[in-house]
Amino acid sequence: MYGNREILETINMVSHQHLDVRTITMGISLLDCITDSPKRTCDKIYDKIMRRAGNLVRVGDDIAREIGVPIVNKRVSVTPVAIVAAASRGHMEIIRTLDRAAEEIGIDFLGGYSALVHKAMSPYEREFLLSIPQALAETRKICSSVNVATSKAGINMDAVALMGQIVKDCAYLTRDQGSLGCAKLVVFANAVEDNPFMAGAFLGMGEDDCVINVGVSGPGVVKSALERVDGDLTEVAECIKQTAFKITRVGQLVCREASKRLGASSGIVDLSLAPTPVVGDSVAHILEEIGLESVGACGTTATLALLNDAVKKGGVMASSHVGGLSGAFIPVSEDAGMIRAAESGLLTLEKLEAMTAVCSVGLDMIAVPGDTSAQVISALIADEIAIGVVNTKTTAVRVIPAYGKKVGDYVEFGGLLGRAPVMPIHTASPAKFIARGGRIPAPLHSNKN
């Protein structure tokens, strides 16, 4: 139960510190929709999504109004479409059906135009991957993800090589929207099956038929709490833990209520601190409050490691089940402090890559010049994926080679996606490395059976 003091504290968090529940994401299994006919499969998919998620937006709004905490996004994730469409080869028909359903139920995004190719690709899966640029260009609300590596399987470099060109094609086909298609595509190592955040959400094979996963947020709350701490780093960590506990309790309440009202299983709470472009809602500003002159300075990786660990330790005690990505997100375009540091040159791609070794995701919402080659994009993906594989953690890349843009320009997305300064990237050719293909073997420590 919440006491009066906690209620007033929560009201202050919402009113002045940008506390919100970032998303309620309903995962829906499409396994029982599979047929050998594209039309029958699409009809079953549409009917199931409308039946299961038809009231998702209304229920989310009702809960937000009752508890007084904004629920910013209502989303749906589905079984990876590469699996669902394999029997009918109807992936393009399915993607249009999913987009129509998403529009009609009024959600923000639908994730799951996804493929799991971490060890190899079948001919159909390759065909599916090649359809991603067109699928994202033709739809408004669909997000795509591709898992190209795991710590058990190693890195599928054939898939990595292909993804570099696919990212470039997404940028071109959505060039009149600032290459927005790339913002709806993420490449993973060790993708999780219960991620509520886009663009990487899909419903994994080990999940229930319908499940609610919740992503909380609150960088502004953490920064505000740290402003009152004048002690050493142990006290800083304790403050972050206590604050993360309070934030996560709100997410747990929302998850329980939403699952009950929607007749779905109660899934996980993702503890991630997800920033927005709004001033005062920045992960970068937390790191600066801990003691950095600017994010990107020496000490950034260490402060981020402290933050990520403390968020997880505090949040795990406040939730029945913790999952998703859980930690601290560092998307450049979505964080006012990251944008400022990138503009000044203090935050570079190399420093961001180092930071991803200790945070939740990876190289996220980073714009690079539009003439960056597909091979360089593939190599950037390979570098980040290797960090995840070797460290047995989830890492990802969401990079935007902004068509027609150069270093110093900006890409304007608006909303939560924000604005991205185009950052320099090394262009020395990795073409021979990428062309070799094959699979980078899993690290020795993965052989634990």
Side-chain angles (χ1 to χ4, degrees):
M1 294 293 292
Y2 283 90
N4 289 339
R5 179 180 174 183
E6 289 177 294
I7 292 170
L8 291 172
E9 190 175 48
T10 302
I11 291 171
N12 185 58
M13 289 178 181
V14 173
S15 301
H16 303 294
Q17 299 163 13
H18 307 288
L19 173 65
D20 59 57
V21 171
R22 187 55 48 85
T23 181
I24 296 176
T25 301
M26 175 181 279
I28 302 174
S29 172
L30 301 183
L31 294 177
D32 57 349
C33 300
I34 297 172
T35 76
D36 61 359
S37 161
K39 184 180 186 307
R40 288 203 310 275
T41 299
C42 288
D43 288 345
K44 294 180 75 171
I45 288 172
Y46 177 81
D47 290 344
K48 186 168 188 180
I49 291 176
M50 297 304 292
R51 182 176 73 253
R52 283 295 200 172
N55 292 324
L56 176 60
V57 173
R58 179 184 60 78
V59 168
D61 290 342
D62 287 347
I63 294 172
R65 186 166 51 252
E66 290 169 21
I67 68 173
V69 176
I71 298 175
V72 180
N73 296 296
K74 297 87 181 176
R75 297 166 171 170
V76 168
S77 64
V78 298
T79 308
V81 172
I83 296 170
V84 177
S88 66
R89 296 297 199 270
H91 46 270
M92 291 308 296
E93 292 92 338
I94 289 174
I95 195 67
R96 296 180 187 114
T97 298
L98 292 172
D99 199 46
R100 176 164 65 98
E103 290 281 1
E104 291 184 18
I105 61 181
I107 57 173
D108 303 279
F109 288 112
L110 188 150
Y113 198 74
S114 306
L116 310 176
V117 291
H118 39 273
K119 199 168 187 180
M121 289 181 289
S122 69
Y124 167 69
E125 286 169 324
R126 183 181 180 87
E127 176 188 339
F128 176 86
L129 294 185
L130 290 171
S131 76
I132 290 173
Q134 181 185 353
L136 296 183
E138 289 186 4
T139 59
R140 289 187 61 244
K141 299 194 173 187
I142 302 303
C143 292
S144 179
S145 60
V146 180
N147 194 57
V148 298
T150 68
S151 295
K152 277 286 188 182
I155 305 173
N156 181 354
M157 287 301 295
D158 293 325
V160 169
L162 192 59
M163 290 311 300
Q165 186 58 55
I166 287 168
V167 169
K168 288 282 289 182
D169 291 345
C170 283
Y172 178 76
L173 290 180
T174 56
R175 61 193 181 279
D176 58 339
Q177 302 169 279
S179 298
L180 177 65
C182 299
K184 300 190 292 177
L185 171 63
V186 60
V187 185
F188 274 118
N190 296 316
V192 296
E193 299 184 318
D194 52 10
N195 173 16
F197 287 101
M198 300 297 170
F202 64 87
L203 187 72
M205 301 301 290
E207 296 290 322
D208 204 345
D209 187 66
C210 184
V211 60
I212 296 294
N213 297 315
V214 169
V216 295
S217 185
V221 180
V222 174
K223 180 182 182 298
S224 178
L226 287 175
E227 290 171 357
R228 300 187 292 273
V229 175
D230 195 29
D232 64 15
L233 292 175
T234 300
E235 292 182 48
V236 168
E238 286 300 312
C239 174
I240 296 170
K241 284 164 58 178
Q242 292 167 17
T243 307
F245 178 86
K246 296 170 185 175
I247 294 170
T248 307
R249 287 189 74 188
V250 176
Q252 177 65 30
L253 172 63
V254 170
C255 187
R256 184 173 66 244
E257 282 300 310
S259 58
K260 181 172 64 178
R261 299 183 192 191
L262 291 163
S265 296
S266 181
I268 59 90
V269 176
D270 189 315
L271 310 179
S272 300
L273 292 179
T276 72
V278 175
V279 174
D281 199 26
S282 164
V283 170
H285 291 162
I286 297 174
L287 305 184
E288 291 164 3
E289 186 62 40
I290 293 173
L292 303 178
E293 180 180 355
S294 170
V295 68
C298 292
T300 298
T301 305
T303 52
L304 182 59
L306 183 157
L307 173 64
N308 205 59
D309 179 67
V311 166
K312 291 183 179 183
K313 286 175 177 174
V316 75
M317 297 301 294
S319 177
S320 300
H321 299 284
V322 169
L325 299 167
S326 286
F329 288 178
I330 52 170
V332 173
S333 77
E334 300 173 14
D335 186 308
M338 295 286 181
I339 293 170
R340 177 185 49 74
E343 288 171 336
S344 70
L346 281 167
L347 186 62
T348 64
L349 267 177
E350 292 75 23
K351 188 60 179 179
L352 280 163
E353 185 177 302
M355 293 164 68
T356 65
V358 299
C359 77
S360 303
V361 194
L363 297 172
D364 195 19
M365 289 302 291
I366 295 167
V368 296
D371 61 359
T372 305
S373 71
Q375 292 87 354
V376 168
I377 297 294
S378 293
L380 180 72
I381 292 170
D383 283 344
E384 184 58 36
I385 295 308
I387 290 174
V389 167
V390 171
N391 290 288
T392 320
K393 67 188 290 293
T394 302
T395 54
V397 175
R398 191 163 45 147
V399 63
I400 301 121
Y403 187 82
K405 302 287 187 179
K406 61 184 185 301
V407 174
D409 292 339
Y410 288 85
V411 187
E412 301 282 351
F413 296 119
L416 289 177
L417 295 177
R419 67 194 292 262
V422 178
M423 300 176 69
I425 184 172
H426 291 305
T427 57
S429 177
K432 183 177 179 180
F433 164 60
I434 297 301
R436 286 182 182 273
R439 180 152 52 104
I440 295 178
L444 182 61
H445 63 69
S446 70
N447 189 20
K448 296 179 180 178
N449 287 340

